[in-house]
């Protein structure tokens, strides 16, 4: 397997393949060779596209907008090439190579260690014959493999925006409230972890609690009065209303 | 310490005091004695308010709307009585007793075990002399103790609605999307846990990722097109806009 790219996902994937005993990390291609010099696989990094050797699988781990041009610029044909994006269609890859997708559904930061063996990998191949090869490579680095088409992968990506990006923004709003009222945000951390952990046992619809669910109007009004600006109030009202709509729909 | 109430919080508190070596659980008062018969402290349960013995501390763990009447109905005076609500003022308690608050900032379900030693307890007493006693009782069951006034406690409660109730609703929306597109919601669980864990190392404002932050309009439009109804779209737009406003404000 060779990796193309030098960002967070490229680095985590390269490390995972380098540590795997079933698959060999052949090369890592990056125009910015120096970005990767501190990593254990530094000796395998090349910045010469024509220096890419024949691999069974090439993984393009670059930003969504660069996938098309990187795939077009590859100086070979007929090989299996996959990208790692949740929202880009398989068809964005140049058809001169066999095409697929390996989308790791996780949030990667340079500062956080991730146990890659637990990261769900969403796989897609254009040719069913390639699915065996892609699955073998994926299983070498993760115990959590799912096959899905481009439409399903895009739906997962939207769901991930709700469950991760938007959730993180709510944490940021909570942290801001804590700062404004001079209470430490750390107090909320056990609650945040328990809320996230709970849904592995209880479907989130059943796990719902709080004033919106109870239609506790005095508390809702008291909360709105404490919120510092219209943006906070808008989000509070929108989510409270949505919780109440859902509860109604579930009861019916 | 005696507990008044039979709900989730009352049960978790009674268990925690029963297991503590520093504080004795004297009695648990509940009108519904049978609700508590399966618990290890069943022998200490009474349903006779006049059978309440003299304790150093009474903890009223009942629903917000019942706190006032329960406090009024207590057949004694001059003792330390606290409630456990995040949103109810200390002054809701009857002034015939010494008043305080012990608010455990956690989400309690009957089905989930909670390590009470990790639950943050927010304390308030009317008379500063009572703070020593309340703190001693709190420290007997938790390693995480915070003193704050009613205003700060209410702010924590609003922040907890954002960080927990609203977050859980976003999980429910994500689960619904997964169902609609026939992908398993479990795929999102490692991402959800990582998003929640990340903020113990990285402030949520810095941990933000996603199309809203990158102002990635093609992805945002593609996501909106995949959302099944106006409620989903409203929430997507409101939170996307809020993330972008915040990012702007932070850059300035």
């Amino acid at each position: 397997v060779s990796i193309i790219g030098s960002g967070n996902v490229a680095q985590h994937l390269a490390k995972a393949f380098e540590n795997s005993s079933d698959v060999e990390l052949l090369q890592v291609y990056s125009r910015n060779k120096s970005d990767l010099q501190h990593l254990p696989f530094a000796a395998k990094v090349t910045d010469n596209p024509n220096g890419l050797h024949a691999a069974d699988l090439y993984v393009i781990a670059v930003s969504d907008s660069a996938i098309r041009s990187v795939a077009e610029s590859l100086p070979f044909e007929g090989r299996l090439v996959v990208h790692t994006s949740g929202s880009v269609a398989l068809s964005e890859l140049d058809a001169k190579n066999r095409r697929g997708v390996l989308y790791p559904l996780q949030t990667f930061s340079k500062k956080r260690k991730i146990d890659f063996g637990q990261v769900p990998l969403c796989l897609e191949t254009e040719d069913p014959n390639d699915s065996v090869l892609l699955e073998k490579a994926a299983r070498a680095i993760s115990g959590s493999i799912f096959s899905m088409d481009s439409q399903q992968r895009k739906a997962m990506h939207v769901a991930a925006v709700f469950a991760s990006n938007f959730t993180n923004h709510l944490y940021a709003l909570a942290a801001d409230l804590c700062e404004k009222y001079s209470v430490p945000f750390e107090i909320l951390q056990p609650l945040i972890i328990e809320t996230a952990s709970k849904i592995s046992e209880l479907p989130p619809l059943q796990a719902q609690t709080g004033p919106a669910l109870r239609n506790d109007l005095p508390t809702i009004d008291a909360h709105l009065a404490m919120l510092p600006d219209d943006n906070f109030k808008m989000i509070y009202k929108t989510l409270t209303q949505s919780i109440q709509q859902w509860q109604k729909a579930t009861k019916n």
Side-chain angles (χ1 to χ4, degrees), chain A:
Chain A
V1 174
S2 287
I3 309 286
I4 297 161
S6 62
N8 280 335
V9 176
Q11 291 186 20
H12 277 101
L13 277 171
K15 264 185 237 170
F17 281 119
E18 177 76 356
N19 292 333
S20 142
S21 49
D22 296 335
V23 166
E24 187 198 347
L25 177 68
L26 194 64
Q27 288 178 296
V28 179
Y29 167 72
S30 165
R31 276 176 303 178
N32 317 305
K33 206 174 159 177
S34 56
D35 290 358
L36 304 170
Q37 285 313 307
H38 60 292
L39 294 165
F41 49 83
K44 297 181 176 179
V45 178
T46 174
D47 55 5
N48 173 12
N50 296 308
L52 276 171
H53 306 313
D56 295 322
L57 172 64
Y58 297 84
V59 181
I60 299 181
V62 300
S63 65
D64 287 3
S65 56
I67 291 173
R68 181 186 279 271
S69 63
V70 169
E72 279 172 3
S73 71
L74 292 177
F76 51 74
E77 291 179 10
R79 301 185 190 164
L80 182 56
V81 173
V82 302
H83 71 62
T84 59
S85 168
S87 54
V88 171
L90 179 146
S91 55
E92 287 280 301
L93 293 168
D94 194 307
K96 69 183 171 185
N97 282 297
R98 287 142 51 214
R99 302 183 287 186
V101 179
L102 184 158
Y103 167 46
L105 192 73
Q106 186 50 282
T107 171
F108 297 101
S109 343
K110 273 179 188 124
K111 288 183 191 172
R112 294 269 305 170
K113 272 200 181 172
I114 296 276
D115 174 7
F116 213 96
Q118 309 283 329
V119 174
L121 300 179
C122 307
L123 308 184
E124 183 182 5
T125 54
E126 189 172 25
D127 183 339
N129 293 324
D130 286 327
S131 70
V132 181
L133 179 57
L134 185 58
E135 235 184 272
K136 197 186 157 192
R139 281 201 195 288
I141 54 172
S142 170
S144 183
I145 306 295
F146 300 87
S147 289
M148 58 181 72
D149 61 27
S150 285
Q151 177 80 347
Q152 287 176 310
R153 189 178 67 256
K154 281 183 194 177
M156 284 303 322
H157 190 249
V158 188
V161 166
F162 280 84
S164 176
N165 300 156
F166 289 168
T167 290
N168 183 76
H169 183 56
L170 293 180
Y171 299 156
L173 294 173
D176 189 56
L177 279 175
C178 288
E179 210 189 311
K180 286 198 166 71
Y181 285 95
S182 306
V183 280
F185 174 58
E186 299 84 78
I187 305 188
L188 287 171
Q189 279 169 4
L191 174 66
I192 285 171
I193 294 289
E194 171 64 13
T195 304
S197 307
K198 214 176 184 178
I199 54 158
S200 64
E201 289 181 20
L202 210 61
L205 205 59
Q206 287 177 42
Q208 191 66 49
T209 59
L213 184 77
R214 295 191 306 271
N215 197 25
D216 177 352
L217 297 178
T219 300
I220 291 170
D221 287 342
H223 283 179
L224 285 169
M226 290 194 80
L227 294 175
D229 63 37
D230 286 348
N231 185 48
F232 268 100
K233 285 178 199 185
M234 174 75 171
I235 290 173
Y236 192 97
K237 283 181 193 166
T238 305
L239 288 168
T240 293
Q241 208 172 25
S242 177
I243 290 171
Q244 294 182 335
Q245 269 185 28
W246 267 57
Q247 205 52 24
K248 232 179 176 175
T250 314
K251 273 186 194 155
N252 292 344

